[in-house]
Each structure stands twice: as structure tokens, then as C-alpha cells.
Amino acid sequence: MSAVKNSERLTKAWYGVLVLLMALGGWAIIERIRVGLVATNLTSETTWGAWVAFYIFFVGLSVGTFLLSTMFYVFKIEHYEKIGRDALLVSIISMVVALCFILLDLGRMERFWHTFRYWNFTSMLAWEVRFYVIYIGLLIAELYLSMRQDLIRVAKGTGWQAALARFLTFGSTDLSEESKKRDHKWLKILGSIGIPIAIFGVLGGEGMLFAGVKARPFWNSGLLPVILVVSALVASIALLLVFYVIRTKLMGREVDKEMVKSLAGLLAFFLLIEAGMEFFEFFVGAYGLQDTELATIETIFQGPFSWLFWGIQIFLGVVVPLFIFFNPRLKESVNAITLAAILVVIGILGVRFNIVVPPLIVPVLQGLPWGYYYPSPVEWLSSLGIVAFGLFLYTVAIKALPIDTVEELREGK
């Protein structure tokens, strides 16, 4: 009984923290709407900041978690079955959070619908928005199909979860093997369609929004879209690992240590690739001896936010996790692996800030003023509020929907 009471207290405290952060974020968003972008520290020189960094972070998180789900639903790697639905859920919520961030960054937020009404065929952003719509639709359809059999089972019970399940399944009671095979077939079809859309349309297109800006040499690189894809996989594996371990422990179930170690190995592999790509991005940029790019690299390495690169992105995001993953004793500890995964997520967030802000600080022409940027209180609070909103959606969803299979819940796996 004491364990149940402790779990209830933790749940109430968790909801309390999220509601408080959402309330603070709501105030900041109202302030942003009331006074406009004056509430931020954005300037004519530094036109993008925290909201855009968070936007590309969460879009990458969405694509990465979706690609992980395809390991089970498309390629039938059954070792990752336990995180298949979780990956799809995180993918959907990450896109919702990403769109909230980019909406705040728009100068005229109320005109967001103009991109649908007025379609400029030569605009990468216009195409990107349409890919978003198709991608989100695919994610919702996949999550529904992956849960449908268990939703029907839940619908046979009582309570609000059962009522919700009956509504979502339209009263269906078909649990036949044929129905199950049909759901799996469509999951594979939708997942196969979604892979190129996610890589080339959503995340690759996002990379093109930066790489196509010739006035910013640091962005104008064919490697940048690839780095965004690989770092998205790194952040996604890390976050799903953290969510799985924490959620499993809070539910009093046994953590699948072998799956966690497998995910840690996958995470270490992609983290090494991402770090290598970052090295070559800087090396090639410096080797070109172009003044603006050299100034951007110098700003990242030695500027006011160099601590973000050396302390967060490199030390906490790469060095410490790799030490844990390759240490003979620590790599056997689920808690140590979870800590390493948390640090990786923080490190990738640092990568996103270093992609967005430093190139905008350096002037595009000699004689123009240098920029400077640090998020304002409104930017910080609104960002915390939106992230808390995403966590709130996730918490409610795992309570309302059979993200774990009914068999896993019964067996306490």
C-alpha cells in the first residue's frame, strides 16, 4: 500500500509542477501576444533565437522517434517492440510542441494559415508545411493501428478509459487474426511511406531552410541536413530510453536491461557518427578560409556562449556519455545509462542553439554591426511552458491509451 501511496504522491506532484510551468508559460505567451516580438531579445541582426532552436530540436526528435518505430513495425526488429508505440506517441507530441514554438516566432501569428491559402511553389517553407500535415496524419494513423487491437480489449472493461476506447474503435469487437494481420500490413505500408517523407520532406527540408541561405556560410553546407538527421536519431534514442526506464520504474515493473543496453549501444554508435560529422563540418569550414565562416566558428569556440559548446555540447553531451557507455562497470548499470541518455538530450539541445544563434551574430558584410542575443524572461518562461505542455500531453496519453500492450501490463513486464 505504501508503494501505491508514494506513486500517487509522485503523480500529483508531477502534475502540480507541470500545471505551474504551463501557467507561467501561459502568462509569457499572453505577454508575447500583447506586445509582440518586443517581449523578446531578438533584433534586426539576430532574428532567430531560442524558439527556432527548440523548434528544430523537436522536429528532429519527432523524426528520430518515428524512424525508431519503423525498426519494429517495418523492419520487424522485435527487440524494440516495447518502445514502438511510445516512439509514435513521442513523435506526434514532439511535432505539436515544435509547431507551438515556431508559431510564437512568427511576427504575425494570426496569419499562420496564409501558408495554406497562398501557396508559393518556389518556397521551401510552403512545401515543408505540407509535408508536416501529411507526416502528422501518417503518425496518427500508425499509432491508432498499432493500438487498435488493445483498444478493443480495453473497451470491454469499465471506466473512462474503456469509454474512450469504445469511442476510438467505433464500437468494433473484431479481434480476429485476419484483422490483426490487416493492421500490421497497413502499419508496414504507412511506415514505409513515412520514411522518405520524414527524412527528405520533414527533417531534410528543415535542413534545407538553413543550408539554402547562401549569405550564412556556416549554414550553406550540404552536410548540415545530414547532421540534423543523425543528431535527431541520437536525441530520439536517448529520450525514448529515458522515458522507458522512468515510466517502467514508476509503474513498479521490471526494466528490460538487455533492451536498455542495446539502445545504449545504438546511441553510442550514432553519437560517435554525429560527433565525427560535427568535426568535419568545422574542419572543412575553417579550411575554406572564408572570413564570415571563420568568424562564426570563432564565435562558437571563443565567444560569449563558448561555454554552451565546450561545456554542454561537447563535455556533457559527448564526453561524459561516451565514458559511461564504454566503461566496463558503468555500461552495465541502467541508472548510469539513463543519466548518460539525459546528458545526450541536453547536449543535442546545445547543438541546436549553436546551429541557430552564432551564425546570426556575425555580420554578413564588413561594417555592419555584430549581433548579440540571450533569451528574454518571456522566451524562457514560454519555452518552459510549451515543454511542460508536451510532457503533460505525454503523461495524459500514457494514462488514457494502451501504449503498453495488454499482455505486458498483465505480466508486469
Side-chain angles (χ1 to χ4, degrees):
M1 288 295 291
S2 60
V4 174
K5 288 182 179 179
N6 287 336
S7 178
E8 290 177 353
R9 290 195 195 100
L10 284 173
T11 300
K12 289 179 181 178
W14 175 245
Y15 277 117
V17 170
L18 293 181
V19 170
L20 175 61
L21 291 176
M22 286 191 292
L24 291 172
W27 169 83
I29 291 170
I30 291 171
E31 188 69 9
R32 186 274 181 242
I33 294 172
R34 188 179 70 84
V35 303
L37 292 176
V38 175
T40 72
N41 282 337
L42 299 173
T43 64
S44 298
E45 291 82 27
T46 312
T47 53
W48 289 346
W51 290 334
V52 172
F54 277 114
Y55 156 68
I56 64 173
F57 173 79
F58 280 102
V59 170
L61 200 60
S62 175
V63 171
T65 49
F66 165 73
L67 293 176
L68 282 176
S69 75
T70 63
M71 288 185 176
F72 172 66
Y73 294 118
V74 177
F75 301 109
K76 293 297 179 183
I77 302 178
E78 295 184 0
H79 197 52
Y80 299 119
E81 178 181 4
K82 292 181 181 179
I83 61 168
R85 296 179 190 176
D86 213 6
L88 289 171
L89 175 63
V90 171
S91 188
I92 294 169
I93 293 175
S94 295
M95 279 304 298
V96 172
V97 171
L99 294 176
C100 288
F101 274 114
I102 204 61
L103 178 64
L104 281 182
D105 192 70
L106 297 179
R108 295 294 298 270
M109 297 167 61
E110 74 280 5
R111 294 182 178 177
F112 75 92
W113 60 273
H114 282 201
T115 187
F116 298 102
R117 175 65 179 82
Y118 308 107
W119 187 354
N120 181 352
F121 283 85
T122 63
S123 168
M124 285 186 289
L125 184 58
W127 283 100
E128 186 78 352
V129 169
R130 283 154 181 81
F131 276 122
Y132 284 170
V133 173
I134 297 170
Y135 173 67
I136 293 172
L138 281 170
L139 291 177
I140 294 172
E142 279 200 67
L143 180 61
Y144 175 75
L145 288 170
S146 71
M147 296 188 304
R148 201 180 72 84
Q149 298 288 318
D150 282 326
L151 281 170
I152 293 173
R153 294 186 181 94
V154 172
K156 294 178 180 179
T158 58
W160 65 271
Q161 287 104 332
L164 176 63
R166 284 192 290 272
F167 171 76
L168 292 175
T169 56
F170 307 100
S172 174
T173 58
D174 186 2
L175 287 172
S176 65
E177 192 64 27
E178 182 183 349
S179 173
K180 185 177 180 180
K181 288 180 179 179
R182 186 170 59 248
D183 288 347
H184 280 237
K185 177 184 175 182
W186 276 106
L187 272 170
K188 188 171 183 178
I189 291 172
L190 293 177
S192 300
I193 294 171
I195 291 172
I197 289 176
I199 294 176
F200 301 112
V202 177
L203 197 52
E206 180 188 73
M208 279 297 297
L209 293 177
F210 289 86
V213 182
K214 194 172 183 179
R216 305 287 177 180
F218 187 76
W219 289 344
N220 190 218
S221 162
L223 193 56
L224 182 60
V226 182
I227 289 175
L228 288 178
V229 173
V230 176
S231 61
L233 282 170
V234 171
S236 303
I237 297 168
L239 190 68
L240 281 176
L241 192 156
V242 172
F243 278 4
Y244 168 75
V245 171
I246 293 176
R247 186 160 60 87
T248 303
K249 287 189 174 184
L250 287 176
M251 294 177 72
R253 292 154 55 192
E254 184 180 351
V255 174
D256 186 340
K257 187 175 179 179
E258 290 306 311
M259 187 185 75
V260 170
K261 288 170 63 178
S262 175
L263 284 172
L266 198 63
L267 177 55
F269 173 73
F270 281 112
L271 183 59
L272 284 169
I273 292 176
E274 193 269 340
M277 285 187 171
E278 288 281 352
F279 168 78
F280 281 110
E281 180 79 342
F282 287 119
F283 180 78
V284 173
Y287 197 74
L289 299 178
Q290 189 171 352
D291 290 343
T292 306
E293 182 139 16
L294 287 173
T296 303
I297 294 172
E298 185 179 359
T299 301
I300 294 173
F301 288 180
Q302 300 179 4
F305 300 109
S306 58
W307 60 269
L308 183 62
F309 178 77
W310 296 111
I312 304 299
Q313 181 176 332
I314 300 299
F315 182 71
L316 291 183
V318 177
V319 176
V320 176
L322 288 178
F323 173 77
I324 292 173
F325 293 145
F326 289 103
N327 183 280
R329 184 173 60 87
L330 294 177
K331 70 179 183 180
E332 298 295 324
S333 168
V334 170
N335 291 336
I337 290 172
T338 305
L339 173 62
I342 292 171
L343 293 177
V344 168
V345 173
I346 295 172
I348 295 299
L349 190 55
V351 172
R352 295 305 195 249
F353 269 84
N354 280 322
I355 286 175
V356 173
V357 177
L360 293 172
I361 290 176
V362 178
V364 292
L365 293 173
Q366 287 187 352
L368 293 178
W370 281 62
Y372 180 80
Y373 171 78
Y374 191 82
S376 70
V378 165
E379 290 174 88
W380 280 124
L381 289 176
S382 60
S383 298
L384 285 173
I386 293 173
V387 172
F389 174 63
L391 291 172
F392 179 81
L393 290 179
Y394 177 79
T395 307
V396 171
I398 61 175
K399 181 72 174 176
L401 300 173
I403 299 303
D404 295 298
T405 65
V406 170
E407 287 77 8
E408 285 177 340
L409 292 173
R410 285 173 180 167
E411 296 171 13
K413 291 182 180 178

